[in-house]
Each structure stands twice: as structure tokens, then as C-alpha cells.
Amino acid sequence: MKHFEANFDGLVGPTHNYAGLSFGNVASFSNADAVSNPKQAAKQGLAKAKALADMGLVQGMLAPQERPDMACLRQLGFSGTDAEVLSQAAKQAPQILRSVASASSMWTANAATVSPSADTSDGRIHFTPANLVDKLHRSIEAPVTGRILKATFANDAFFAHHDALPHHPLLGDEGAANHTRLCRQYGSAGVELFAYGQSSLIGSPRPQKFPARQTLEASQAVARLHGLDSDNTVFMQQNPDVIDQGVFHNDVISVGNRNVLFYHEQAFLHTEQKFAEIRDKYGDGELHFIKVPTAAVSIKDAVSSYLFNTQLVSFDDDSMAIIAPTDCQENPAVERYLNELVQMGTPINKVHFFDVKQSMQNGGGPACLRLRVAMNQAELDAVNPHTLMNDNLFTRLNAWVDKHYRDRLSEADLADPQLLIESRTALDELTQIMHLGSVYPFQR
Ligand SMILES: N=C(N)NCCC[C@H](NC(=O)CCC(=O)O)C(=O)O
């Protein structure tokens, strides 16, 4: 049976804004209070998704969340009409209002960890929504993320859905952003590589300045839930020094696809020892560890250009392309490196650039915007077809964005009750376009 990797991109929500919410994420902090353009952000994301579909790749979309999250504001003691709740929150707790208004669910690499059926003990695809406990604005995503995943992958015979891990710092889980998979073919069992930032229980080294969001204990729990075999699982620590330089997720410093791991030389701790374990567990077959040396690309350049927050995609002839943000073209060292990379004789022989600047300004590159799901044809046939990208969905979603989205949003707008009404109206229509049912709190 044919196997492939599908990418499910997060549709940017109507409240996309720059609120400086992510300590440790350089772009988020440096663009705090900039004026955003939600319409452009959504269209940039749709254009990238459609372009990948047009390359022959399987591409889906995941719906955004209801924001501002009024249920959360009410849980925090704000009361009255929706307009009163928003106005009290804006006056008394503006930082909380910014958090509940974030469109951060667009970065679906953080939606969940996904293990394909070839790796799991029961032969189903397993999903665990990430608890994202490190940041308030992200920690409120998991319940609705779970519902959207269930509405998208809605067939128990093929898909197993778990609850997010308990919301405790010991179990901080950032989903697929700290997980990758190496395999010969998408349909054959692979090595699942979990990259963690810290472990309180084994007392691992930790960053001094910025948080390490993913814990070893969370990665181990997800591996257990998914029924992974220890022979096919490797836990590797991110280098705390690079977390302190803005590498808040491991997908900011490495990306894997099939038999390639593209990584910066400073990405991990105990690199050679861990690569030996990967080689051992991978077994026969060529494995490419493509190391980018600091002398070619500094950590600063990697973080500002998002060279590693790129998508590595495979085509039927086994060649691979890098899907990169245009920011990589604008950085001379990174552009030079990419020009050399495609000549190096590795499976990567092409680069495609996309302008996703609205997302980049919040620290979200092409790889953050997508959740990978390796699947076979029978599993794809079981996916909600209305979430899959094609000419029709692209046209409908662009028209939907044009109808409902603003082209300018600043902090002052977040308390506007009209923005809440606009968002709910848009999302209500979206659930009909994508046949999702009542996934949002305002619909229940
Ligand atoms: N690397 C991956 N996979 N995802 C990127 C997530 C970016 C996101 N930014 C934000 O949440 C910024 C929101 C703001 O400041 O308005 C984050 O830090 O969690």
C-alpha cells in the first residue's frame, strides 16, 4: 500500500497579534506590540499549504481556536456580559487578556505528538495533544486541540486519541516540535527521536536564562501512551546553551525526514553517543546526519533566519526539498549555506522559499505551522475529507478569510467585543466548511 507523510497546517485565527507572550522566543519578544495583519497571516499560511499540495504532497488544514477564550476569563473571575468581561480584563489584567486572545494554535507542530501506525503496538496512528504548560496562552489550547484532532481524524479503527498529559511543569510537553522520526519509508517502522530540554528527576543540565519547555518525563509518557518500543525510541537532550540563545523548541535547531537528520552542530548534548544509538536502532540502510557547523551558520543566524524550522519533504523519486522561509534568503550566511547544501550530494536537492513573515514575527516558521502525520492510503481515506487541501478548499478558505478577517490588529483591539463576535461568526462558518461539528465552547 502507498505510504506518505501528510502535513496538517494550522489555519491562522482571526485574532493573530503580537503580544510578546513567549519569554525565550526572541521574535515574540522583539515584536511585542507591533501591529499585526491577521488577513495577510492567514493568506500566507494558505498559500504555503496550497503550494505543497500542488507539489503533489498530501496537505490538510487544522482549524484555529476560539479567541479570546471567554471561558478562561470567566474562570479567572471576570463576569457580566461578554463586553463587560473583556473590558474588565483589559483594565485589570491586560496581560491575561493578551494571553487568552492569542492565535498561537496556528503553530500546529505544537498541537500534538503523532506516532504513525508502523511504530505503535496496536497498529493505529496515535495522537497526544501537547499540554504546553510553559506559557499561559498556550496551556489553554489542549482541550479544543483534542476535539479538532478528533474531528479531523475521526475513525477509531485507524486513529487513537489520548488526553494531554497532566498540567504540571514536570510534564511540560510541546508536542511534535520536540519530536521527529527517522525511517527508510514512511510506512516502515522508524526510530522516534524525542528531544527534551530538561529532566528534574534525573537532574540533567538546564538552561540558565530561558525555560526548557519539554521534559524527559513528558517525552517518556508520550512514548508509553503511543505503545512505542524502546528499540525504536531515542531520548536526546537539547543543548541548554542554545536554548539560552533562543532555541525554545528543538525544531528551531534540527529537522528530520525519512533517512535524513539536518541539524546544527550545537543542537544536542552527547551528540555522537546518541547518534550511535540512533544508528543501532535504525538498523540497515543509509542514514544521513547533515551537520551544519557553527563556522558556516551561527546560532544567532539560525535563530533569526529559521534555517532549521524548515520542512524537509520527500517526493516519489526519493529526492527531498527544503521548504524555507524567505528570511533564509535574506540572511547572507544562510543563503550561501543553502546554495551549497543542494550541491552536496545528500538527498536534499532543492529549496523552495515562502513568505510567512506574519507568523515568523512571532517565532513561527514553516515547520511550526504544520503537524506531520505519516500514513497509508487506507488511513488517509479515513481522514475527514473536508480538511484536505485542494483547489476547492483553497478558494473557499481564502474567500472565508476575506469575508471575516481584519487587516490590522493592535493590543487595543483585543478588548473590542466586535472582534469576539467576528471571530465566532467566522469559526461557526468554518466548522461547516470543514465539517467539524461543534468543537468550540461557544457552540456547545
Ligand atoms: N517552534 C514551533 N514549533 N512553534 C513556534 C511557536 C511560536 C509561539 N509563539 C508565540 O506564542 C508568540 C505569541 C505572542 O507573543 O504573541 C511559541 O512561542 O510557542
Side-chain angles (χ1 to χ4, degrees), residues 15 64-71 100 102 105 144 148 420 423-424 427 439-443:
T15 63
Q65 305 236 342
E66 175 191 343
R67 293 289 181 268
D69 184 337
M70 299 305 291
V100 302
S102 176
S105 67
V144 173
I148 290 170
L420 174 68
S423 300
R424 287 179 169 172
L427 295 181
V439 289
Y440 297 116
F442 75 91
Q443 296 175 313

Side-chain angles (χ1 to χ4, degrees), residues 330-373:
E330 291 154 18
N331 180 308
V334 172
E335 192 192 24
R336 196 175 323 119
Y337 179 82
L338 282 171
N339 286 335
E340 285 165 18
L341 173 66
V342 292
Q343 310 286 341
M344 276 180 201
T346 74
I348 307 171
N349 60 16
K350 216 166 172 53
V351 187
H352 298 277
F353 294 100
F354 289 91
D355 179 358
V356 287
K357 280 197 190 298
Q358 283 288 324
S359 168
M360 283 288 287
Q361 283 164 203
N362 250 340
C368 300
L369 285 162
R370 61 94 168 93
L371 183 66
R372 297 190 277 184
V373 188

Side-chain angles (χ1 to χ4, degrees), residues 151-443:
T152 307
F153 304 95
N155 187 322
D156 290 347
F158 293 103
F159 309 118
H161 294 277
H162 303 279
D163 289 337
L165 301 180
H167 277 53
H168 185 278
L170 184 71
L171 294 169
D173 179 19
E174 298 286 317
N178 279 56
H179 171 258
T180 198
R181 176 174 185 262
L182 300 173
C183 60
R184 286 171 205 81
Q185 302 288 341
Y186 290 123
S188 53
V191 176
E192 297 208 12
L193 181 52
F194 290 84
Y196 63 92
Q198 62 167 317
S199 163
S200 319
L201 296 187
I202 63 167
S204 64
R206 54 175 69 202
Q208 301 300 307
K209 197 167 139 202
F210 291 149
R213 299 196 199 182
Q214 179 81 31
T215 70
L216 171 62
E217 291 71 25
S219 297
Q220 289 170 330
V222 170
R224 271 191 300 273
L225 283 168
H226 291 193
L228 303 182
D229 191 328
S230 60
D231 290 343
N232 288 48
T233 313
V234 174
F235 300 94
M236 209 168 163
Q237 187 169 357
Q238 298 171 262
N239 179 354
D241 290 348
V242 299
I243 295 179
D244 274 340
Q245 293 170 69
V247 179
F248 58 99
H249 285 137
N250 193 64
D251 66 3
V252 175
I253 203 75
S254 84
V255 53
N257 176 53
R258 286 187 55 185
N259 62 347
V260 170
L261 185 69
F262 178 57
Y263 72 104
H264 192 278
E265 74 169 316
Q266 295 187 58
F268 303 107
L269 288 186
H270 315 301
T271 309
E272 287 317 316
Q273 183 195 334
K274 284 290 165 181
F275 283 9
E277 184 183 340
I278 294 172
R279 273 196 200 91
D280 188 44
K281 292 183 172 175
Y282 187 84
D284 296 337
E286 202 174 11
L287 201 45
H288 301 265
F289 291 100
I290 305 178
K291 171 166 84 178
V292 181
T294 309
V297 179
S298 66
I299 297 293
K300 189 165 183 280
D301 282 345
V303 169
S304 65
S305 68
Y306 267 31
L307 169 62
F308 298 94
N309 200 264
T310 43
Q311 295 177 242
L312 259 183
V313 294
S314 286
F315 298 100
D316 285 346
D317 63 0
D318 285 346
S319 68
M320 292 188 197
I322 285 196
I323 308 299
T326 44
D327 307 64
C328 286
Q329 276 176 308
E330 291 154 18
N331 180 308
V334 172
E335 192 192 24
R336 196 175 323 119
Y337 179 82
L338 282 171
N339 286 335
E340 285 165 18
L341 173 66
V342 292
Q343 310 286 341
M344 276 180 201
T346 74
I348 307 171
N349 60 16
K350 216 166 172 53
V351 187
H352 298 277
F353 294 100
F354 289 91
D355 179 358
V356 287
K357 280 197 190 298
Q358 283 288 324
S359 168
M360 283 288 287
Q361 283 164 203
N362 250 340
C368 300
L369 285 162
R370 61 94 168 93
L371 183 66
R372 297 190 277 184
V373 188
M375 49 172 64
N376 61 35
Q377 190 61 51
E379 290 159 348
L380 179 61
D381 291 343
V383 171
N384 172 349
H386 306 282
T387 64
L388 295 176
M389 182 54 82
N390 52 33
D391 290 345
N392 179 40
L393 187 66
F394 183 67
T395 306
R396 283 194 81 181
L397 290 180
N398 269 295
W400 172 81
V401 169
D402 281 330
K403 180 171 158 197
H404 296 288
Y405 280 48
R406 299 190 184 186
D407 57 12
R408 190 178 192 288
L409 214 56
S410 65
E411 190 191 340
D413 298 315
L414 302 179
D416 177 1
Q418 189 54 35
L419 179 68
L420 174 68
I421 294 167
E422 286 165 22
S423 300
R424 287 179 169 172
T425 308
L427 295 181
D428 207 31
E429 199 176 308
L430 183 70
T431 52
Q432 291 162 43
I433 296 173
M434 296 177 81
H435 293 233
L436 296 175
S438 300
V439 289
Y440 297 116
F442 75 91
Q443 296 175 313

Side-chain angles (χ1 to χ4, degrees), residues 17-22 25 28-29 102 104 107 109-110 135 137-138 174 177 213 248-249 251-252 306 309 362-365 367-369:
N17 72 97
Y18 301 118
L21 298 173
S22 281
N25 167 343
S28 156
F29 252 49
S102 176
S104 53
W107 300 297
N110 306 117
K135 302 280 179 265
H137 67 293
R138 306 226 57 184
E174 298 286 317
R213 299 196 199 182
F248 58 99
H249 285 137
D251 66 3
V252 175
Y306 267 31
N309 200 264
N362 250 340
C368 300
L369 285 162

